[in-house]
Amino acid sequence: NPIILSLSGSPYADNSDEYWGFESGALEENFKRYVRQACKDGLNNHLSVFALAPQPLLIKLGCLLSDIPAAQIYQLHREPPTWSWVESEERLDYIVSRPENIYPKVALSLSLSATISDSRIYSVLGEAASIWDLTIANPNNDCIKSINDLSEFRRVVRSLLDEIKLVHGENVAIHVFPAMPVSTAIELGRVRMPKTAINFHLYDENKSRGGFFHVFDV
């Protein structure tokens, strides 16, 4: 039987601070109640995850899933519309851009489904911010085609987080600006290991808020 974590409807709009506090809290409580408890009781030996939600909530879901290793994340493809992974010989190359100047304030730009310009991040954090960027040659919604693409993303982002910690220190907190497919948002949370966790300050983009704005931390 499927476990459904989503609520039937939120009383708040997603441009409000109340929405993010309500949805984040509900996700954590429902996960503990239905997923973690089922795993403890031995009812689920493996999780297949099909998720659609705003990206900060998907990242938090990934953080919650990080201590449940037997999980397979799926990606909804638009063309053709399917949740199935496709067989592909093509390799998706990830491109890492490192900051020229090192500041205490650190941002991670994930430009996979769309391009995030540095100016959009500076408008939120100010100019004294070190921006690390992970992107691909042609950002688009269907960039993650195969399970190998997702596996390579995990490898690259895990190495990138280790490098950020090496440059900025073990106690670094990262301001995360995501434009990424759902599967990669979840995997970003999963690769953040609980025992050596980096604090993520998560942002979402909303036109009525003038662009990116801080929603919550994990």
Side-chain angles (χ1 to χ4, degrees), residues 99-114:
E100 294 183 0
N101 300 305
I102 303 304
Y103 296 104
K105 191 172 290 185
V106 181
L108 174 59
S109 172
L110 296 142
S111 299
L112 301 179
S113 57

Side-chain angles (χ1 to χ4, degrees), residues 64-100:
L64 294 170
L65 285 166
S66 63
D67 59 352
I68 302 176
Q72 175 62 61
I73 313 303
Y74 288 85
Q75 172 69 43
L76 178 61
H77 308 285
R78 297 189 178 189
E79 295 296 338
T82 180
W83 283 96
S84 299
W85 291 111
V86 299
E87 296 293 334
S88 176
E89 297 296 329
E90 295 182 8
R91 175 183 172 182
L92 185 62
D93 291 321
Y94 295 93
I95 303 167
V96 175
S97 296
R98 296 163 176 82
E100 294 183 0

Side-chain angles (χ1 to χ4, degrees), residues 41-186:
D41 294 341
L43 300 178
N44 285 318
N45 296 319
H46 182 276
L47 294 175
S48 296
V49 182
F50 302 83
L52 293 174
Q55 291 171 63
L57 293 173
L58 293 173
I59 295 170
K60 179 162 186 173
L61 174 60
C63 293
L64 294 170
L65 285 166
S66 63
D67 59 352
I68 302 176
Q72 175 62 61
I73 313 303
Y74 288 85
Q75 172 69 43
L76 178 61
H77 308 285
R78 297 189 178 189
E79 295 296 338
T82 180
W83 283 96
S84 299
W85 291 111
V86 299
E87 296 293 334
S88 176
E89 297 296 329
E90 295 182 8
R91 175 183 172 182
L92 185 62
D93 291 321
Y94 295 93
I95 303 167
V96 175
S97 296
R98 296 163 176 82
E100 294 183 0
N101 300 305
I102 303 304
Y103 296 104
K105 191 172 290 185
V106 181
L108 174 59
S109 172
L110 296 142
S111 299
L112 301 179
S113 57
T115 300
I116 303 173
S117 64
D118 288 354
S119 61
R120 292 159 67 188
I121 297 175
Y122 288 137
S123 68
V124 178
L125 300 181
E127 295 288 334
S130 296
I131 300 177
W132 297 71
D133 182 62
L134 177 61
T135 188
I136 55 178
N138 179 33
N140 66 91
N141 287 318
D142 271 343
C143 62
I144 302 295
K145 292 289 189 183
S146 70
I147 197 168
N148 290 333
D149 292 338
L150 192 59
S151 176
E152 179 67 4
F153 172 81
R154 287 196 302 269
R155 186 194 68 79
V156 171
V157 81
R158 186 180 290 114
S159 175
L160 178 56
L161 293 177
D162 286 343
E163 184 177 354
I164 292 174
K165 286 174 65 176
L166 181 64
V167 172
H168 295 276
E170 289 290 323
N171 297 320
V172 63
I174 301 177
H175 299 262
V176 179
F177 295 81
M180 56 200 310
V182 295
S183 59
T184 56
I186 297 172

